[in-house]
Structures are given as C-alpha cells and as structure tokens.
Amino acid sequence: EEEEEEEAAEPQPSTSYSTPHPASSTSCSVSASSSSTNRRAPLVPAPAPSHITHSPFDPPEKGSGTLTLENQKLFTEFVQYCEQALGVGGEVLGYLQAKWGKAEGQFLGSVELRNALGRCLTRLQSGRTKTYVHINELCTLLKQHSATRRRAALQQCGSGGAEVEKKEREEEQEEEKEGEGKQEQQSEEEGVKKAKAKASKRQVHYLESLLQVYSEEIRRLQEKELSLEDLGEEDSGYIQEHRLKRKMMKIYDKLCELKGCSPLTGRVIEQRVLYRGTRYPEINRRIERYINSPEARLSPPDYADILRVVARANERHGLALSRRQLAQLAQDAFRETGNRLQERRHLDMVYNFGSHLTDPYTAHSDPALADPTLSRKLRSNRAVALSSLDEVISKYALLQDDTEEEERRKRLGREKEKEGE
C-alpha cells in the first residue's frame, strides 16, 4: 500500500493543450479519468511527454495567470498588426476575436498558444503578405480547443452525446465555410479596390499631364501678337484660348471627381450673396435662393425674373400685396441684387483677370496715382456711368409696368366684350 501511494503521488504526464489534434487531448483526459478510478490496479510507468510543455525562456516562477496576460497582450498586438496590414477586414478579425472568446481559459494560459501567437506575430512583423494565412492558423487552433472540453463533457453525459457531438461538428464545418467565404470576399474586395486605385492614379497622371500641355499652349497664344485682320477671324487666338480654358475646366472637374474633393476654388464669384432688402422674410428667401442658383450664375437675372420671383412668393405665402407694391418691391430688389452681383463680378475680375504677362503689375505703378488730372477724370466717368445705369434701369422698369398695365386693360376689355355677347 505504501508503494502504491508513492506511485499515485508521482507527477502524471502533462495533459496541457500543446497537441493541436482534438483526438489526442480527448484520449489524454479519458486515460487520466480511468487511472483515477482504478487506483488498486498496478500502475504502468507512463512514457515521457513527446512535446515541450514549458517554454525554455519562461522563468519557473511564472504561473498560468501570467501566461494568460502575456497571451492576451500578444493577441491584441497581433490584431493591431492585422488591421494595419489589411486596412479593411473587420469581419475576419471579428470572427477571430469571437473564437478567442470561446476558447477555454486553461488553453488561453498555455505555452502552446503563446508559441503560436509569437510565431504568427513574428512572421507578420517581418513583412510577409500572408496575413489571412496567419489568421486562419489561429482560428483553427482556437476552434480545436474550444470544442475539446464540450466533447469530453458530452462523453461523460452518456447516450445523447454522439448526436450532440455530430451537431457540434456540423456547426464547426459551417463556421469554417463562413470564415473561408468571408476571407475570400474580403480578398476580392481588396483586389477590386486596388485595381480601381491603380486605374485612378493612371487617369490622374494623364489628366495632369494634359493640363500642363494646355497651359503651355495658352501661354503661347497669349504671347502672340494679333493684327486687326487676325482679330476678325473666326478662329482667332482669343477664341482658341477660350476653348482651351473651357477644356481645362472640364479636366479640372474630372480630377476633382477622381480625387474625391470639392471643385470649388475659393473665388469671389463662388461666394453666396445674402439678401435682406425687404421686410418680408418669405420674399427675401426666394430672391436669395434665385440669385445664388446655377441658372443666375450663367445668365444674370433681369427685372422680369425678379418680378416673377416676388409674385410667386406673394402668391405662395398669401401676402396679399397689390400690383403696385409688387412692382416697387421687385424694382428695389432688382437694383440692390444687381449692384451686389456686379460688385462680386468686379472683385472676381480684379483678382483673376489678366495673364502671365500682367503678373508683374502692381497697384503702385498705376498712372492715375501720379497724375491728378487723370484720376479726377476717371472718378467723374465712374459717377456718370453709375447715374446712367440707374436711369436705364428705371426707364425699362417703368416701361414694363406700363406694358403690363396696358395688357391687363386689354384683357379686361376682351372679357367684358365676351360677357356682353
């Protein structure tokens, strides 16, 4: 009996999770349970373990808790490197983290898992491109050791264990297929994105080269001297320059589309004009929306356009304004918006007008600064131009009012004649 007790107290072969095959771990657990139940039988000395159960670099005082923390740290570092290498792939990494969460706690603190994590992390850090292979290796290892404990428990339960184990295997096979499908889908998406990025870079390079060619041609046309006969031609230098600039704008819009940036350049002409000229917010909003629309930028609005906008706002919001009030509001709005749009166009022309030939010009070289007579003449011409513009606007506004009033009278006369008949 003393000899039997001494043999039972001897250390048994390690049943850690260092062998990846589930059948071997199951056989170890079954042999351990059978040895514990048959203590009276003579014990046969167990062979030495065929694998390394402890890392040669692991100090003897470290326990399973320390290994678990180290494994968790290595796994987190491995996931971060995978995210950097893939860029996308959240589903695949989520699948790996789910398998980590389902693994047994004893295996999470094993030396085998630390060796596997260190091996995969070292290969990934060395610059190898087989990231999905390392992820698949860890998923397989974690899956094997998450099912081992359940299989051992089912074998102890008795009769219903085989069917449940079969279902477990089917679920594992489905999970493997899903993981492989997700990996294939991720790799296909990455391939498509890389192909698109490569094509976009090639297009961007081609368009930028084309812009450079057009820019040099425009410089050549601007430096060319033109006679009166050349200016009268249908294909003069100015017309060619205009066509090239239109083409450059189209190329610029295409470049913005490929690079995913806004086509706005920050010019004054692109700034929004605010209008608060009337005491009716509904009319102000309508006028402001219209004068900032693309249609108004292509062709500036006239008095008829502003009057139409004011009339629609009056009709839509039920302001009950008379014809004379509508005309007065439209006239004031047309004058103010016209001045604002003109000022915006003028500033845009000042900032952008000219060519590379006029770049050396500065405001200090203006002849009017040194000649008081010329400066006085320019100021008087500007005052005459502004007063003439106001006269023209007032003249045609009154003419339009008279025309509309006459048409209204004719229409009422025709209606009365029809009623009399």
Side-chain angles (χ1 to χ4, degrees), residues 264-316:
L264 297 178
T265 58
R267 291 175 55 182
V268 180
I269 199 69
E270 296 172 349
Q271 296 178 2
R272 187 176 183 86
V273 177
L274 302 179
Y275 180 74
R276 301 291 184 270
T278 69
R279 62 188 183 92
Y280 301 99
E282 299 84 0
I283 296 178
N284 293 339
R285 285 196 299 268
R286 287 267 182 165
I287 294 176
E288 181 179 337
R289 190 184 306 124
Y290 178 73
I291 62 177
N292 290 288
S293 63
E295 178 185 356
R297 288 186 178 181
L298 293 176
S299 59
D302 55 10
Y303 173 75
D305 297 330
I306 299 297
L307 179 60
R308 193 181 309 113
V309 171
V310 174
R312 287 179 181 174
N314 176 52
E315 192 177 322
R316 175 68 180 274

Side-chain angles (χ1 to χ4, degrees), residues 225-234 236-238:
E225 294 290 340
L226 297 178
S227 62
L228 294 176
E229 290 78 9
D230 296 334
L231 293 175
E233 293 179 357
E234 294 182 358
S236 65
Y238 290 112

Side-chain angles (χ1 to χ4, degrees), residues 57-98:
F57 303 103
D58 189 18
E61 65 271 14
K62 282 190 177 181
S64 60
T66 307
L67 283 174
T68 303
L69 294 177
E70 289 182 0
N71 291 342
Q72 180 66 41
K73 184 179 179 180
L74 288 173
F75 179 76
T76 305
E77 189 175 358
F78 176 80
V79 171
Q80 292 176 355
Y81 268 95
C82 289
E83 290 177 351
Q84 295 177 1
L86 298 177
V88 293
E91 297 180 356
V92 177
L93 295 178
Y95 179 77
L96 175 62
Q97 291 173 348

Side-chain angles (χ1 to χ4, degrees), residues 33-273:
S33 61
S34 61
S35 62
S36 62
T37 53
N38 300 326
R39 291 185 179 275
R40 296 297 180 183
L43 297 175
V44 179
S50 59
H51 56 277
I52 300 175
T53 58
H54 295 283
S55 172
F57 303 103
D58 189 18
E61 65 271 14
K62 282 190 177 181
S64 60
T66 307
L67 283 174
T68 303
L69 294 177
E70 289 182 0
N71 291 342
Q72 180 66 41
K73 184 179 179 180
L74 288 173
F75 179 76
T76 305
E77 189 175 358
F78 176 80
V79 171
Q80 292 176 355
Y81 268 95
C82 289
E83 290 177 351
Q84 295 177 1
L86 298 177
V88 293
E91 297 180 356
V92 177
L93 295 178
Y95 179 77
L96 175 62
Q97 291 173 348
K99 288 300 177 185
W100 177 274
K102 292 181 181 179
E104 293 182 341
Q106 186 178 359
F107 176 69
L108 295 179
S110 65
V111 178
E112 180 193 356
L113 180 59
R114 187 176 65 175
N115 293 339
L117 285 170
R119 181 174 62 254
C120 294
L121 187 57
T122 303
R123 292 176 181 174
L124 188 62
Q125 291 175 345
S126 63
R128 301 184 182 181
T129 57
K130 298 181 180 180
T131 307
Y132 286 110
V133 175
H134 306 323
I135 295 176
N136 188 27
E137 180 179 351
L138 286 181
C139 286
T140 305
L141 188 62
L142 293 171
K143 194 188 317 177
Q144 289 172 354
H145 293 288
S146 65
T148 303
R149 186 175 60 181
R150 292 200 299 268
R151 287 175 181 170
L154 290 173
Q155 288 179 358
Q156 294 177 2
C157 288
S159 59
E163 297 180 357
V164 179
E165 184 178 358
K166 184 177 179 181
K167 292 182 179 179
E168 292 283 342
R169 290 177 180 175
E170 292 178 356
E171 291 179 358
E172 290 177 5
Q173 292 176 357
E174 292 179 358
E175 290 179 357
E176 289 180 1
K177 291 180 180 179
E178 290 179 1
E180 293 175 357
K182 290 179 180 179
Q183 292 179 3
E184 292 177 358
Q185 184 179 1
Q186 291 288 340
S187 59
E188 290 178 359
E189 290 179 357
E190 286 184 1
V192 171
K193 288 184 178 180
K194 288 180 180 179
K196 287 183 178 180
K198 189 175 181 180
S200 298
K201 289 181 180 179
R202 188 166 57 250
Q203 287 179 335
V204 167
H205 180 69
Y206 170 74
L207 293 176
E208 288 178 349
S209 303
L210 197 59
L211 280 178
Q212 183 66 26
V213 173
Y214 285 170
S215 177
E216 294 176 357
E217 182 65 18
I218 288 174
R219 287 175 67 94
R220 187 186 66 81
L221 291 172
Q222 289 176 348
E223 294 172 358
K224 183 180 179 181
E225 294 290 340
L226 297 178
S227 62
L228 294 176
E229 290 78 9
D230 296 334
L231 293 175
E233 293 179 357
E234 294 182 358
D235 195 18
S236 65
Y238 290 112
I239 295 177
Q240 294 178 21
E241 181 182 348
H242 176 70
R243 290 174 183 170
L244 289 176
K245 288 182 178 180
R246 293 287 296 273
K247 290 181 180 179
M248 289 184 71
M249 288 304 301
K250 291 181 180 179
I251 294 173
Y252 173 75
D253 292 338
K254 185 63 177 178
L255 279 173
C256 292
E257 180 183 349
L258 291 175
K259 293 183 177 181
C261 57
S262 173
L264 297 178
T265 58
R267 291 175 55 182
V268 180
I269 199 69
E270 296 172 349
Q271 296 178 2
R272 187 176 183 86
V273 177

